[in-house]
Amino acid sequence: MGKGRHTGDELYHFLFNTSSDILAIQNFHHEILDVNEEGLKKIGYKASEVLGQPISKIQKKYALAELEAITQKLMEKGEAKFESLFLCKDGTELPVEVIAKVIDYKGVKAVFTQSRDISQLKESQQKLALQQQASLKIFSALDGIVYVSDPCSFEILFANQELIESLGIEESIIGKKCYQVMQGINSPCSFCTNPIIFNNEKNDSYVWEFQNRQNNHWYRCYDRVIEWFNGKKVRLELAVDITEEKQSRLQIEDLNLHLKSIVDSPIDYALY
């Protein structure tokens, strides 16, 4: 054998033990046949403590139905992808994304798994979920009708209880088209303010008034662009019911017109 060349076994062990992921091999009785050095380091065990042991010693126990589904996928496609938890020796849990494949190992069929640490991803997702909950609580607490919609699909992403009650809707409206739910039409509103707010470089609130076709109430709307939890720019609208104010204004305008007509009339009005 020439200098610098490796046997098949040497190359296997070199590649197996230089990976930064947790690599493991188990038989179809779920017994551990091999684990790489990095994997042992991450879970805090020595090879002698895990080899020959059931995989459940170091990895989350699956419900029977879940285990059968993974095994069936492996048998049918030769590969399966799923999330799991490694049970570290110190009692902590390590979330991982697992890619499992059926391989030939020393002349028999076995399962090779490559498990990638996703603890930072899970932590980020948890922080994002907490931020999302906090933001939704703020939206829900605002005085007035509040909804958020996707400017491309017009799907409603969030709607507070006041909006739902104002329209007399019982079922969930999340994912439905805003123009269908709020205006009862089958295409985007001709008066939609999206072109205005999405071309507003200062991202100021756009304030306007309109009468809803569904309940005939008048609203003063404050529209602006915000960044949603997935990073996408979306539409936020806060609408305040000004029906009484609008009716009062109209009554005053009617009265002013009536008084003006009296003043401008050539007929003399007698005062009694």
Side-chain angles (χ1 to χ4, degrees):
M1 183 69 65
K3 187 177 180 180
R5 299 188 63 183
H6 301 277
T7 65
D9 283 346
E10 288 174 336
L11 183 60
Y12 158 77
H13 284 293
F14 173 76
L15 295 174
F16 194 72
N17 287 313
T18 53
S19 174
S20 60
D21 293 331
I22 302 174
L23 307 183
I25 299 172
Q26 59 179 290
N27 58 29
F28 278 90
H29 298 295
H30 309 296
E31 296 168 338
I32 303 168
L33 303 178
D34 204 355
V35 181
N36 68 335
E37 292 174 2
E38 183 63 24
L40 291 168
K41 187 187 302 181
K42 285 185 175 180
I43 61 177
Y45 281 100
K46 297 178 181 178
S48 59
E49 295 176 303
V50 298
L51 297 185
Q53 297 295 314
I55 193 68
S56 57
K57 180 179 177 71
I58 62 170
Q59 202 168 353
K60 160 193 168 183
K61 288 185 179 180
Y62 294 95
L64 182 59
E66 192 177 5
L67 185 60
E68 286 179 348
I70 294 172
T71 303
Q72 184 176 357
K73 194 170 183 180
L74 276 171
M75 298 305 292
E76 290 177 354
K77 299 184 177 181
E79 183 174 324
K81 188 176 181 179
F82 53 95
E83 289 187 5
S84 184
L85 288 171
F86 270 98
L87 311 174
C88 301
K89 190 175 181 179
D90 63 5
T92 59
E93 294 181 341
L94 179 67
V96 293
E97 182 182 66
V98 182
I99 298 175
K101 296 182 179 181
V102 177
I103 62 168
D104 286 317
Y105 180 75
K106 297 183 178 179
V108 297
K109 294 289 184 184
V111 177
F112 168 80
T113 57
Q114 179 179 3
S115 303
R116 182 152 296 172
D117 182 352
I118 56 171
S119 54
Q120 289 186 344
L121 173 63
K122 289 295 182 182
E123 186 177 342
S124 298
Q125 289 175 340
Q126 187 176 18
K127 286 181 179 178
L128 182 62
L130 291 173
Q131 291 173 357
Q132 182 174 348
Q133 289 175 10
S135 297
L136 294 181
K137 282 182 180 179
I138 293 172
F139 289 159
S140 298
L142 290 174
D143 186 17
I145 286 172
V146 180
Y147 79 91
V148 177
S149 64
D150 186 301
C152 299
S153 67
F154 297 96
E155 292 179 353
I156 297 172
L157 305 174
F158 169 81
N160 70 346
Q161 190 61 33
E162 189 166 338
L163 170 58
I164 295 168
E165 290 175 357
S166 71
L167 297 175
I169 299 171
E170 294 183 359
E171 70 274 9
S172 173
I173 61 175
I174 303 302
K176 295 184 178 180
K177 306 291 185 184
C178 56
Y179 52 81
Q180 291 177 337
V181 172
M182 287 179 275
Q183 301 300 325
I185 56 179
N186 293 319
S187 59
C189 306
S190 59
F191 51 84
C192 181
T193 60
N194 281 353
I196 298 173
I197 62 175
F198 280 91
N199 288 292
N200 181 351
E201 292 182 359
K202 293 183 179 180
N203 196 25
D204 298 326
S205 292
Y206 178 71
V207 185
W208 59 297
E209 295 178 4
F210 89 111
Q211 187 177 28
N212 184 274
R213 299 182 182 186
Q214 298 284 74
N215 60 16
N216 294 319
H217 283 220
W218 279 92
Y219 294 94
R220 182 175 294 118
C221 303
Y222 301 83
D223 300 347
R224 70 177 304 156
V225 177
I226 64 169
E227 185 174 301
W228 202 233
F229 307 114
N230 58 4
K232 185 173 183 178
K233 301 293 185 182
V234 296
R235 169 196 180 91
L236 167 68
E237 179 169 284
L238 167 64
V240 180
D241 193 326
I242 58 167
T243 304
E244 291 184 5
E245 177 189 329
K246 194 76 173 178
Q247 289 172 344
S248 297
R249 268 193 279 159
L250 291 173
Q251 288 172 357
I252 292 171
E253 288 174 6
D254 288 343
L255 179 60
N256 287 335
L257 287 174
H258 179 63
L259 291 173
K260 188 176 185 302
S261 67
I262 293 174
V263 172
D264 294 343
S265 174
I267 301 173
D268 292 330
Y269 285 85
L271 299 177
Y272 296 94

